Amino acid sequence: MTLETLSESRSFGGTQGVYRHKSQATGTDMTFAVFMPEVSAHARVPVLWFLSGLTCTHENAMTKAGAQQWCAEAGIAMVFPDTSPRGDEVADDTAYDLGKGAGFYVDATQDPWKPHFQMWQYIVHELPELVSDNLAIDRDRMGITGHSMGGHGALTIAMTHPDRYKSVSAFAPIANPSESEWGQKQLSAYLGDERATWRAHDATILMAERGYPGDVLIDQGTADQFLDKLKPEALAHAMMSRRQPGQFRMQPDYDHSYFFVQTFMPDHVFWHAERLI
Amino acid sequence: MTLETLSESRSFGGTQGVYRHKSQATGTDMTFAVFMPEVSAHARVPVLWFLSGLTCTHENAMTKAGAQQWCAEAGIAMVFPDTSPRGDEVADDTAYDLGKGAGFYVDATQDPWKPHFQMWQYIVHELPELVSDNLAIDRDRMGITGHSMGGHGALTIAMTHPDRYKSVSAFAPIANPSESEWGQKQLSAYLGDERATWRAHDATILMAERGYPGDVLIDQGTADQFLDKLKPEALAHAMMSRRQPGQFRMQPDYDHSYFFVQTFMPDHVFWHAERLI
């Protein structure tokens, strides 16, 4: 598979690149960003996947999460995928939280979404292969994190494929989408009204049923504007009921913005680095 | 003068705020951002002014420069002003580098710019007073820096008012606008064709004629897309000819982006903090 380089910028001694490719999974061109630390010139490095939230492209976290410096210091790569397929041929909705920018990290089974909204397949299978074919990342040392809808993606993917993702964390994840305005609408649109199919995409349910073999780090701000939709209490309850190793941190006064993400990014990067190196 | 709070977010233990006010200088509403470190709850703190480049608002550096963490650690505030007046009544040009988003940190004397493009007056006089009236900053401990057009602003302002700005640095400044495509057009439009009036707004000329009483830090990337317009060689020549104390650093492979700014932001924040605290 070929990769088109859209830009490469020196950053903290490494390289922040933006690339485009034709995706088999989505049937569209897809754009993603990767930070490669300087040490990757000499050896394959661990990689941390950062899944972004509603309305985001590959660009938001790349520019606003402040991750590069910590990845450079830790010697790990970070990949910033897009959150949905894009293009004129791709179905969309006028709402910000359905369709483009809102793929929810599922493989849609319902029309009009089914032809292109195959983001689970894209993130879990296609993109890791593409990135490791083209850049010096080590697919045996992958961790995953994300923010909001991306935190939902990171948790559900890691709990489903703990063999592939050796570490997991999340920033203000959509924690219980089956019971939330951020979830019911999208899971219904993409997967249909049969709620049994939603269970594989609800971090709280997966936590209750499976958990994760390693420890899990979750950060959530107390001043988050979307607490009622995120439902951290449901995930924390499932996590602690299970005695799942890990930390669920309620950070006083932090909201849902990248200022929150940026503040706790070093903790997350080093959390993953310690488990991947 | 009253300040309208547009948002306040917790960030690295401090507060990232965005505020709006009616400006006397520009005759318009103006929006700016301020990061206040946690320690400002107890005492007035030094403040570093960050002037942004062409096309930017208060928001670009606030979200992409990664400054908050270092300001939190150093215990200093950072102000991110807008780069021009805004609004339907404000003159503009179809080019990205003239009019809105391109105030060039001068007080325009020519129509149609004169009524609102009074950015020097706004940055040097009005905004420091407003900020110190409303937030716990110490006007006797101010430093100034900026990126590109903002680096030009920081250097020309600091060399003109070294009594007010106790420290100065710049990221990839427009260093010799009188001799550049980025400068001749704008200085001509805002100040008129009499080149003698431009001299007060050319860092290379000010460096040759006045210098700065403290030491000066300049960072410039070798892969900068705009090197021919920035003319770092002119400023470096003036600086070293004068034996101006300071550092002019050519950073291998870095371009003009915020990835460059972000990489060297800690050096700049601590440079200022050491000279202000």
Side-chain angles (χ1 to χ4, degrees):
Chain A
M1 289 180 283
T2 49
L3 213 54
E4 179 189 356
T5 301
L6 300 184
S7 69
E8 288 187 330
S9 297
R10 184 68 55 193
S11 171
F12 293 95
T15 301
Q16 178 60 61
V18 179
Y19 308 97
R20 183 163 56 200
H21 68 110
K22 289 195 185 305
S23 165
Q24 297 287 328
T26 69
T28 63
D29 281 357
M30 292 292 286
T31 300
F32 65 96
V34 184
F35 174 75
M36 294 296 291
E38 194 169 13
V39 67
S40 68
H42 312 293
R44 286 189 177 263
V45 293
V47 57
L48 178 54
W49 294 80
F50 187 97
L51 305 185
S52 290
L54 289 166
T55 76
C56 290
T57 68
H58 68 281
E59 195 180 359
N60 304 64
M62 171 183 86
T63 55
K64 300 204 294 187
Q68 288 85 357
Q69 62 184 299
W70 311 115
C71 290
E73 190 174 332
I76 68 176
M78 186 174 281
V79 185
F80 308 91
D82 203 346
T83 60
S84 79
R86 310 273 174 185
D88 293 343
E89 75 281 19
V90 175
D92 201 6
D93 188 278
T94 54
Y96 75 96
D97 59 358
L98 188 66
K100 291 178 191 172
F104 248 75
Y105 306 102
V106 301
D107 291 335
T109 58
Q110 307 296 306
D111 286 324
W113 313 107
K114 192 177 167 184
H116 301 294
F117 283 77
Q118 302 292 320
M119 288 301 292
W120 180 282
Q121 176 69 20
Y122 175 67
I123 297 289
V124 176
H125 300 287
E126 183 178 15
L127 199 50
E129 190 173 333
L130 179 75
V131 174
S132 69
D133 283 353
N134 288 277
L135 295 165
I137 64 143
D138 181 354
R139 282 185 65 184
D140 293 331
R141 293 182 293 165
M142 303 205 307
I144 191 164
T145 186
H147 175 224
S148 196
M149 176 181 76
H152 146 76
L155 291 168
T156 55
I157 287 172
M159 285 191 275
T160 307
H161 293 294
D163 50 322
R164 290 169 180 265
Y165 299 92
K166 305 290 196 294
S167 56
V168 63
S169 72
F171 298 84
I174 298 177
N176 191 16
S178 309
E179 303 299 331
S180 168
E181 220 178 285
W182 276 353
Q184 290 173 338
K185 170 182 176 179
Q186 295 85 354
L187 296 175
S188 169
Y190 298 141
L191 303 177
D193 289 330
E194 182 51 69
R195 289 177 62 107
T197 64
W198 301 4
R199 300 178 68 82
H201 297 285
D202 187 305
T204 294
I205 293 174
L206 290 173
M207 180 58 75
E209 293 186 347
R210 310 174 169 217
Y212 182 75
D215 44 359
V216 174
L217 172 64
I218 317 276
D219 273 314
Q220 172 63 57
T222 65
D224 195 307
Q225 303 89 317
F226 305 108
L227 276 169
D228 61 320
K229 299 187 175 72
L230 298 170
K231 303 201 179 296
E233 64 284 356
L235 178 58
H237 182 265
M239 188 170 157
M240 304 316 166
S241 297
R242 187 186 184 78
R243 323 293 189 232
Q244 167 69 47
Q247 301 178 28
F248 201 114
R249 310 192 303 188
M250 265 288 166
Q251 303 286 7
D253 303 340
Y254 286 86
D255 61 25
H256 200 65
S257 69
Y258 272 96
F259 297 116
F260 157 71
V261 174
Q262 204 176 71
T263 300
F264 299 103
M265 182 57 78
D267 291 0
H268 286 248
V269 168
F270 289 111
W271 172 279
H272 287 270
E274 284 168 17
R275 285 154 184 79
L276 295 173
I277 287 173
Chain B
M1 290 179 281
T2 49
L3 213 54
E4 180 188 356
T5 301
L6 300 183
S7 69
E8 289 187 329
S9 296
R10 185 67 56 191
S11 171
F12 293 96
T15 301
Q16 179 60 61
V18 179
Y19 308 98
R20 183 163 55 199
H21 69 109
K22 289 194 186 307
S23 165
Q24 297 286 328
T26 69
T28 64
D29 281 358
M30 292 292 287
T31 299
F32 66 95
V34 183
F35 174 76
M36 294 296 291
E38 194 169 12
V39 67
S40 67
H42 311 294
R44 286 189 177 263
V45 293
V47 57
L48 177 55
W49 293 81
F50 187 97
L51 305 187
S52 290
L54 289 166
T55 77
C56 290
T57 68
H58 69 282
E59 195 179 0
N60 303 65
M62 172 183 86
T63 56
K64 300 204 295 186
Q68 289 85 357
Q69 62 185 300
W70 310 117
C71 290
E73 191 174 330
I76 68 175
M78 187 175 280
V79 185
F80 308 91
D82 203 346
T83 60
S84 79
R86 310 273 175 185
D88 292 343
E89 73 281 19
V90 175
D92 201 6
D93 188 279
T94 53
Y96 75 96
D97 59 357
L98 188 66
K100 291 178 190 172
F104 248 75
Y105 306 103
V106 300
D107 291 336
T109 57
Q110 307 296 307
D111 285 324
W113 312 107
K114 192 176 169 184
H116 301 295
F117 283 76
Q118 302 292 320
M119 289 301 292
W120 180 282
Q121 175 70 19
Y122 175 67
I123 297 289
V124 176
H125 299 286
E126 183 177 16
L127 199 50
E129 189 174 333
L130 178 76
V131 174
S132 70
D133 283 353
N134 287 277
L135 295 165
I137 63 143
D138 181 354
R139 282 185 65 184
D140 293 330
R141 292 182 293 163
M142 305 206 306
I144 192 164
T145 186
H147 175 225
S148 195
M149 177 182 75
H152 146 76
L155 291 168
T156 54
I157 287 171
M159 286 190 275
T160 306
H161 293 293
D163 49 321
R164 290 168 180 264
Y165 300 92
K166 305 290 198 295
S167 57
V168 63
S169 73
F171 299 84
I174 299 178
N176 192 14
S178 308
E179 304 299 331
S180 168
E181 220 179 285
W182 276 352
Q184 291 174 338
K185 171 183 176 178
Q186 295 84 355
L187 296 176
S188 168
Y190 298 142
L191 303 178
D193 288 330
E194 182 51 67
R195 290 176 62 107
T197 65
W198 300 5
R199 300 178 67 84
H201 297 286
D202 187 305
T204 293
I205 294 173
L206 291 173
M207 180 59 76
E209 293 186 346
R210 309 174 169 216
Y212 182 75
D215 45 359
V216 174
L217 173 64
I218 317 277
D219 272 315
Q220 172 64 57
T222 65
D224 194 308
Q225 303 90 315
F226 304 108
L227 277 169
D228 61 321
K229 298 187 176 72
L230 299 171
K231 303 199 179 297
E233 64 285 356
L235 178 58
H237 183 265
M239 188 170 155
M240 304 317 165
S241 297
R242 187 186 185 79
R243 324 295 190 230
Q244 167 69 46
Q247 300 178 27
F248 200 113
R249 309 192 304 188
M250 264 288 164
Q251 303 286 7
D253 303 341
Y254 286 87
D255 62 24
H256 200 65
S257 69
Y258 272 97
F259 297 116
F260 157 72
V261 174
Q262 206 176 70
T263 300
F264 299 103
M265 183 57 78
D267 292 359
H268 286 247
V269 168
F270 289 112
W271 172 279
H272 287 272
E274 284 167 17
R275 285 155 183 79
L276 295 173
I277 286 173

